[in-house]
Amino acid sequence: AQFPDLCPVSVPRLASVANAQWLPEPVYRVPDTEWRSAAPPGQIGEPVRISDAFSVIFFAVAALLAAANGIVLVIERQREIAILKAVGAFSRDVIMMILAEVVMLASIGAAIGFALAESLAVWNLISNGAGIAAVLLTVGIDFAKVLGVTVVFAVVFGLAPALRTTGMTAMEVLRRE
């Protein structure tokens, strides 16, 4: 009654209908007279963005998988690495070889996972009328971020097995065989 220009709307219902039809949710604007008034806001809290928390969890899991993959890679190839060291390979060469394999595997996994996850976002952007240039720019920036973080985590968590392997002598490895 106080606001004849406005009507009550169930925002969660509209949001669920919009999401079910892959439509953007409508934006509701508060009238300027109410926005500048001294009245307390109707909503005390602010919605929490949980996507950042999920990103940290996903990257932590990916980092642990990269570390586990590096350890398995080193264990399976200990004899080969021992022979390389016995022939005269430097420790830095062995470290670079292990890190290159860990980074390559992590990058392939990140690219495949990104392609699967981003396909829905691309479809959403295209169906909402975004231009192809905007879609390509968005996807490119997102892919660069994901690949960059993946490579950093792969290097950091791949260093532990690489350093562990280079710390052993060739005789230690060959004695275990």
Side-chain angles (χ1 to χ4, degrees):
Q2 292 179 349
F3 304 105
D5 295 337
L6 304 175
C7 64
V9 177
S10 171
V11 176
R13 175 159 167 65
L14 282 179
S16 65
V17 169
N19 288 332
Q21 297 176 358
W22 294 87
L23 299 173
E25 296 176 15
V27 175
Y28 296 101
R29 301 208 181 272
V30 176
D32 286 338
T33 56
E34 286 300 309
W35 182 256
R36 292 188 179 95
S37 71
Q43 182 177 352
I44 302 299
E46 192 174 309
V48 178
R49 289 187 46 178
I50 60 171
S51 63
D52 293 339
F54 281 131
S55 296
V56 169
I57 292 170
F58 290 144
F59 280 119
V61 169
L64 291 174
L65 287 173
N69 187 27
I71 291 170
V72 169
L73 177 104
V74 167
I75 289 173
E76 288 179 353
R77 297 180 60 192
Q78 275 186 343
R79 184 177 181 141
E80 177 185 337
I81 293 169
I83 292 171
L84 285 173
K85 288 181 77 173
V87 174
F90 293 110
S91 294
R92 71 178 184 311
D93 296 332
V94 174
I95 291 172
M96 292 306 290
M97 180 183 71
I98 293 169
L99 286 180
E101 290 182 27
V102 170
V103 167
M104 182 186 67
L105 289 173
S107 298
I108 290 171
I112 292 170
F114 181 82
L116 292 174
E118 195 73 8
S119 62
L120 292 175
V122 168
W123 174 254
N124 195 11
L125 287 171
I126 291 172
S127 65
N128 286 329
I132 192 73
V135 171
L136 290 176
L137 182 66
T138 302
V139 170
I141 290 171
D142 289 347
F143 184 67
K145 288 178 185 176
V146 167
L147 194 62
V149 171
T150 300
V151 167
V152 167
F153 274 112
V155 168
V156 168
F157 285 95
L159 271 176
L163 292 173
R164 181 175 155 239
T165 300
T166 57
M168 297 187 320
T169 64
M171 290 308 293
E172 288 178 53
V173 174
L174 293 175
R175 276 191 210 134
R176 291 184 188 176
E177 295 285 324

